Amino acid sequence: MRTILVTGGAGYIGSHTCKALAAAGYRPIVLDNLVYGHRWAVKWGALVEGDVRDAAILDHVFSQYRPEAVLHFAAYAYVGESVGAPGKYYANNVAASVALLEAMRRHGCANLVFSSTCAIFGEPEQALIDERTPTRPVNPYGRSKLMVEQIMQDFGRAYGLRHVSLRYFNAAGADPEQEVGEAHEPETHLIPLVLEVAQGRRAHIDIYGTDYPTPDGTAVRDYVHVADLASAHVQALEYLRGGGVSSAFNLGLGRGYSVQEIVDAARRVTGCTITTRGAPRRAGDPPHLVADPGAAARALDWRPHYGQLDDIVATAWAWHQRITADEGQAGRGSA
């Protein structure tokens, strides 16, 4: 069976991708330090607990499992935290990636799919963002991801590394079969925060900015289902295995939804009251960020399966309800 190393495979998008890899006939091997990942999310292959910055662990993994490619998710991803602790982000996101690339070079592994982000674009002037949009990140998180993209290009020129960067927009939803889902601590993503209000775990949801130049005054983002992101990683891997040239692709639906539309969808899906509260805009938040996913459709034959907002929110709601039920059963069992 073809073995793929998945760094950060115990995290949100990484765990969904491991499921997609297994379904496609691959054997995922997860390397994760479990700082933000979850042991319970590793269900489709072995877990090696360790840090990507540790050369000895990397050598052990490559020697024992001999992966033919790497899917690299391991990174810190809190934008606000990156502003206050830039060194943490450059050490983890950039230095760790260099350590991984050096290990790949030592062990003759030449194919890499990298988890990048739309944060590399910063505050673009155009509403629809394609791969030609200038990259002008405005925070250390975005800069760290862009640095890794540039480093991969250098390794490609020097050592023949073949790579794909997948720049995704707002990951959302959960595995429709409820085997894995979103569980961040702290949680910063809009949809799970809104659903926590629906569950009564939060009193309200703050809407940062109600005076944007958008139809309802709230910021517009492109929400792409996590299962669709997972399939994109598998298709990018097969693109490289088929001889595809090193590239970067934007992943999104190609249409945006406002914060208010997210709240409205959650009300429809859950049938619950969801209280909102207006708050000032956050610095660096553009009014409108939407992907042009045309290049990924052409090169990878990637097209999102989840195109409707209510369907995306419904999978997240089912996951949150399951987690709540599991917590209730655990509480009753320990009483």
Side-chain angles (χ1 to χ4, degrees):
M1 184 176 288
R2 298 165 295 177
T3 299
I4 308 299
L5 175 61
V6 184
T7 71
Y12 175 39
I13 303 172
S15 61
H16 285 79
T17 302
C18 286
K19 179 174 182 175
L21 283 168
Y26 294 96
R27 179 177 69 149
I29 303 298
V30 171
L31 174 61
D32 201 300
N33 61 14
L34 301 181
V35 171
Y36 291 116
H38 305 281
R39 195 179 301 275
W40 54 258
V42 182
K43 300 182 177 183
W44 295 277
L47 168 65
V48 178
E49 188 173 347
D51 198 291
V52 177
R53 289 171 286 190
D54 189 326
I57 288 178
L58 287 170
D59 285 336
H60 163 72
V61 170
F62 278 98
S63 297
Q64 178 171 345
Y65 296 103
R66 302 189 180 279
E68 67 177 55
V70 177
L71 272 56
H72 182 31
F73 295 93
Y76 293 149
Y78 291 107
V79 170
E81 180 186 57
S82 79
V83 175
K88 175 180 179 179
Y89 276 68
Y90 293 127
N92 188 72
N93 295 5
V94 180
S97 296
V98 173
L100 174 65
L101 292 171
E102 290 286 11
M104 292 179 66
R105 180 176 64 83
R106 287 195 301 274
H107 294 272
C109 182
N111 291 328
L112 175 66
V113 180
F114 175 57
S115 169
S116 193
T117 171
C118 66
I120 67 169
F121 297 112
E123 302 176 37
E125 296 176 359
Q126 69 268 42
L128 198 62
I129 301 169
D130 64 18
E131 289 74 13
R132 297 167 295 181
T133 301
T135 52
R136 299 167 181 161
V138 297
N139 53 66
Y141 167 65
R143 281 189 282 273
S144 73
K145 289 289 190 174
L146 181 58
M147 286 178 186
V148 176
E149 288 198 18
Q150 294 166 336
I151 292 167
M152 290 191 305
Q153 293 169 13
D154 291 336
F155 270 68
R157 286 185 286 266
Y159 309 118
L161 176 74
R162 301 173 63 251
H163 52 90
V164 168
S165 294
L166 297 179
R167 301 162 169 173
Y168 26 89
F169 282 58
N170 289 51
D175 171 31
E177 296 174 345
Q178 302 301 303
E179 292 188 271
V180 284
E182 190 166 11
H184 296 121
E185 185 58 47
E187 184 59 73
T188 61
H189 290 181
L190 176 62
I191 289 177
L193 291 175
V194 170
L195 295 179
E196 287 180 7
V197 178
Q199 289 182 313
R201 296 188 172 204
R202 292 178 181 267
H204 63 270
I205 184 73
D206 287 324
I207 298 180
Y208 295 100
T210 58
D211 58 349
Y212 283 104
T214 60
D216 61 24
T218 65
V220 172
R221 297 291 183 267
D222 192 330
Y223 293 86
V224 57
H225 196 279
V226 65
D228 288 325
L229 292 178
S231 68
H233 286 79
V234 176
Q235 287 164 270
L237 172 62
E238 294 179 347
Y239 164 86
L240 287 175
R241 294 183 70 248
V245 299
S246 295
S247 304
F249 301 106
N250 295 353
L251 299 181
L253 292 183
R255 66 152 297 177
Y257 294 100
S258 71
V259 174
Q260 186 59 56
E261 286 178 302
I262 295 294
V263 173
D264 292 342
R267 288 170 175 158
R268 288 192 299 271
V269 168
T270 67
C272 297
T273 299
I274 298 174
T275 303
T276 64
R277 186 176 69 178
R281 297 186 191 185
R282 293 179 295 197
D285 269 357
H288 194 278
L289 287 177
V290 177
D292 178 349
R298 293 186 294 271
L300 306 181
D301 194 29
W302 178 78
R303 291 168 180 81
H305 176 75
Y306 291 89
Q308 300 300 316
L309 179 58
D310 283 23
D311 294 336
I312 294 173
V313 173
T315 63
W317 179 239
W319 170 254
H320 276 69
Q321 292 291 82
R322 176 190 166 179
I323 292 300
T324 301
D326 288 349
E327 290 173 352
Q329 291 174 359
R332 287 193 296 272
S334 61

